[in-house]
Amino acid sequence: MRVNFYADLRPLVGGKTVEVNLVLPMTARQAIESITGTRPALAEKIWQSPGIVYDHIHVFINGRQSVFLPLGLETPLAADTELDVFPPVGGGSGP
């Protein structure tokens, strides 16, 4: 299964995409824990505390933001699930 990271999270995982060996049943939270378990710098950016993702990190499961899914990050994954992780995004222009 592929997990895509964006913006300043990419250097912390060594590229855009990380392959996760999907062991069913696995949830989105478990997939992210699997990746961050070997990448402490990424873990600091993702986890507010064990199992709790920072509010400003956005996780999308098959194109839908996890906070709007009935099971959130506890959504079970399938081999063809698309998982995307976005850091906070700033921008715009001043007056």
Side-chain angles (χ1 to χ4, degrees), residues 6-25:
Y6 296 86
D8 64 344
L9 298 179
R10 285 184 176 173
L12 301 176
V13 296
K16 176 183 178 183
T17 303
V18 173
E19 291 289 333
V20 174
N21 291 326
L22 192 64
V23 179
L24 298 176

Side-chain angles (χ1 to χ4, degrees), residues 1 15 22 25 31-32 39 45 49 51 54-55 57-58 65 67-68 71 76 82-83 92:
M1 174 188 152
L22 192 64
I32 296 168
R39 295 170 175 88
K45 297 275 188 182
S49 60
Y54 280 111
D55 289 340
I57 297 294
H58 301 285
Q65 194 169 357
V67 296
F68 298 114
L71 297 176
E82 292 182 30
L83 198 60

Side-chain angles (χ1 to χ4, degrees), residues 26-51:
M26 181 180 272
T27 66
R29 182 183 318 280
Q30 290 170 323
I32 296 168
E33 286 172 344
S34 171
I35 295 166
T36 58
T38 57
R39 295 170 175 88
L42 178 65
E44 288 179 18
K45 297 275 188 182
I46 300 283
W47 303 110
Q48 179 176 338
S49 60

Side-chain angles (χ1 to χ4, degrees), residues 87-95:
V89 178
S93 59

